[in-house]
Amino acid sequence: MNKQSFLKKQIVKEAIRSVRKDKKVDEISLLNISRELGVEFSEITKFYTSIEDIFLQQQKSNWKKVYRDLDKSVKKAKTPGDFKAVFDKFLQDYVEGLSSDADLHWEVCSFIPACLVFREENKKVLYKKIHEIIKRGWPGKTPNVLERQTNLILLSFFGFIDHVVHQPKAERRKILKDFRNMLNLHLQDRLFF
């Protein structure tokens, strides 16, 4: 890891530590972080413009990795079974990729306006990807059923994230197993009321 990557990680780590300690994003500044890390303020502002920007960039970076892995898996998939496996792998990779600070990231990003805007834009991107996976993994659905099921998967997924980030890592795997089973049962229904 180069010096700049290391510093960026340290900045994120210090921002998380500060928010966890003080519980208020608006009372923490980049200047305080530069002091805590013993680096020049200009070193911090090379990467981030504000505390909010740290969390927004972290959120974007995490989803970029999720999509890179998901797109690779989709590209390799050929059969409905392959796409079902892609869906399961997406859920598993997402949960296993959650850090021990995922709860704090989720909570902070739920209040920062720029993060909320990104979350809404990101849901549209995720909708398209999940829609295609369902269409190819569970063929034979009418367009209306496909749309409703995709919307329900997204609604369930974001509710699942909100719950699972607050659980210990070992418990997350157990919850994921039940969640995945529930979604797979839901997706087997071709008519869907």
Side-chain angles (χ1 to χ4, degrees):
M1 178 184 308
N2 68 31
K3 186 178 176 182
Q4 288 195 336
S5 294
F6 178 76
L7 180 56
K8 279 180 84 170
K9 283 188 181 222
Q10 291 305 107
I11 294 167
V12 171
K13 200 174 184 178
E14 183 58 31
I16 290 167
R17 189 195 68 72
S18 296
V19 171
R20 195 167 298 280
K21 183 179 123 200
D22 297 332
K23 305 286 186 210
K24 295 181 181 179
V25 175
D26 58 343
E27 292 182 8
I28 299 161
S29 70
L30 295 180
L31 187 57
N32 290 346
I33 289 177
S34 72
R35 286 181 189 141
E36 287 292 325
L37 295 176
V39 297
E40 293 292 324
F41 180 69
S42 61
E43 290 295 309
I44 306 282
T45 58
K46 281 182 189 176
F47 307 113
Y48 304 107
T49 58
S50 65
I51 295 297
E52 292 85 356
D53 189 40
I54 292 173
F55 286 95
L56 176 62
Q57 295 309 319
Q58 193 67 23
Q59 186 181 31
K60 286 180 175 182
S61 175
N62 291 343
W63 276 104
K64 185 176 179 181
K65 181 188 179 327
V66 167
Y67 288 147
R68 185 177 56 242
D69 294 346
L70 182 60
D71 290 345
K72 268 191 222 175
S73 296
V74 165
K75 193 173 182 178
K76 291 178 187 175
K78 304 290 182 226
T79 67
D82 293 344
F83 283 94
K84 289 176 184 177
V86 165
F87 185 70
D88 285 345
K89 183 180 182 315
F90 159 70
L91 295 171
Q92 182 173 340
D93 288 352
Y94 189 89
V95 170
E96 291 188 2
L98 292 172
S99 72
S100 57
D101 292 313
D103 62 326
L104 186 122
H105 280 278
W106 182 261
E107 294 299 329
V108 170
C109 289
S110 295
F111 294 101
I112 295 174
C115 291
L116 289 171
V117 168
F118 173 78
R119 187 177 290 175
E120 289 307 308
E121 291 169 356
N122 187 52
K123 283 181 182 178
K124 293 173 188 170
V125 173
L126 186 58
Y127 175 93
K128 289 177 185 174
K129 293 178 184 297
I130 296 298
H131 185 274
E132 187 62 25
I133 291 168
I134 294 171
K135 182 178 177 181
R136 300 192 57 198
W138 290 267
K141 296 177 186 298
T142 66
N144 287 341
V145 169
L146 188 56
E147 182 182 339
R148 285 195 308 266
Q149 284 189 330
T150 304
N151 281 323
L152 273 174
I153 293 294
L154 281 183
L155 177 65
S156 301
F157 178 69
F158 281 92
F160 167 74
I161 294 169
D162 187 40
H163 174 71
V164 82
V165 296
H166 296 94
Q167 304 303 314
K169 279 205 174 230
E171 191 65 23
R172 290 175 183 174
R173 290 185 193 105
K174 293 175 192 171
I175 297 167
L176 171 62
K177 184 178 177 185
D178 292 340
F179 181 68
R180 193 168 36 203
N181 288 339
M182 179 190 75
L183 293 182
N184 279 307
L185 285 171
H186 167 71
L187 290 170
Q188 288 173 19
D189 186 353
R190 288 184 183 201
L191 298 177
F192 187 68
F193 46 87

